[in-house]
């Protein structure tokens, strides 16, 4: 077993725990190898470019409302709705990088997250500046499972027949 960045590599034939792959990164986040840095740069640039393109699309939609002359109230409601939903989506996505979201709550927020997609993209952009999004959470879980596996897999030393019996 070779060790890199404090994380021992598990041999190919081992039955030990396997790291969970991350979107766009696979398992390269474990040892930061196989193009991890290039992937982080691509995810950072891609999420920012997608957020900018999304904002342009929203601007065209707003201009469409102005051309349709639906009134100021509808235009203000649309802007406020996208702003609030984006802020909530940003916060939800950011929190999902540090703790596992509740599946029921995730399902109930699906519509809000779809409307606030710009917030989710921005959260992905900012997190990818420091790490692969979700890497810290996955690393903590993987380390805990690996440590638990190692303690279960270690063999006792000595003769078990000579073990003292508790009175």
């Amino acid at each position: 077993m070779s060790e890199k960045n404090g994380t021992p590599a598990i041999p190919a034939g081992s039955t030990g725990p396997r790291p969970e792959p991350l979107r766009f990164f696979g398992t390269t986040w474990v040892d930061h190898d196989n193009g991890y840095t290039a992937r982080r740069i691509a995810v950072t640039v891609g999420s920012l470019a997608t957020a900018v393109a999304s904002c342009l699309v929203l601007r065209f939609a707003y201009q469409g409302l102005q051309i349709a002359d639906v009134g100021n109230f509808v235009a203000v409601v649309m802007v406020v709705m996208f702003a609030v939903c984006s802020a909530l989506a940003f916060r939800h996505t950011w929190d999902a990088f540090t703790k596992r979201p509740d599946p029921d709550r995730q399902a109930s927020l699906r519509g809000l997250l779809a409307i606030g997609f710009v917030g989710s993209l921005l959260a992905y952009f900012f997190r990818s500046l420091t790490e692969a999004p979700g890497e810290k959470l996955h690393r903590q879980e993987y380390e805990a499972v690996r440590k638990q596996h190692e303690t279960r897999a270690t063999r006792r030393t000595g003769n078990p027949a000579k073990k003292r019996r508790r009175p």
Side-chain angles (χ1 to χ4, degrees):
M1 269 201 233
S2 66
E3 191 167 315
K4 186 176 183 181
N5 295 335
T7 307
I10 295 179
S14 174
T15 59
R18 300 275 183 226
E20 186 177 342
L22 288 174
R23 180 181 299 156
F24 305 122
F25 293 91
T27 57
T28 61
W29 60 269
V30 176
D31 292 328
H32 293 189
D33 58 355
N34 294 332
Y36 171 82
T37 305
R39 290 175 192 220
R40 262 204 34 221
I41 291 169
V43 165
T44 303
V45 170
S47 59
L48 182 62
T50 307
V52 168
S54 300
C55 287
L56 287 174
V57 170
L58 289 176
R59 174 149 173 89
F60 292 143
Y62 180 76
Q63 287 176 342
L65 288 175
Q66 285 181 330
I67 292 170
D69 198 28
V70 294
N72 287 336
F73 178 73
V74 174
V76 169
V77 167
M78 188 191 101
V79 169
V80 169
M81 176 195 62
F82 274 105
V84 169
C85 289
S86 290
L88 292 172
F90 179 91
R91 182 64 183 178
H92 179 77
T93 305
W94 191 264
D95 288 343
F97 294 143
T98 56
K99 61 180 183 255
R100 295 269 180 189
D102 178 35
D104 294 332
R105 185 170 185 264
Q106 183 83 8
S108 67
L109 291 176
R110 187 170 291 132
L112 181 130
L113 294 174
I115 294 170
F117 63 98
V118 174
S120 292
L121 289 169
L122 290 175
Y124 217 80
F125 165 72
F126 286 119
R127 181 58 79 158
S128 65
L129 290 174
T130 57
E131 67 175 8
E135 178 181 346
K136 183 177 181 181
L137 172 66
H138 283 74
R139 189 170 300 283
Q140 288 171 346
E141 292 173 351
Y142 177 62
E143 292 294 328
V145 169
R146 198 171 49 80
K147 185 176 180 180
Q148 183 182 29
H149 176 74
E150 286 174 1
T151 54
R152 276 190 274 143
T154 55
R155 306 256 187 249
R156 270 190 296 199
T157 57
N159 185 350
K162 292 182 180 180
K163 182 180 176 186
R164 282 195 211 163
R165 303 286 178 205
R166 293 185 189 182

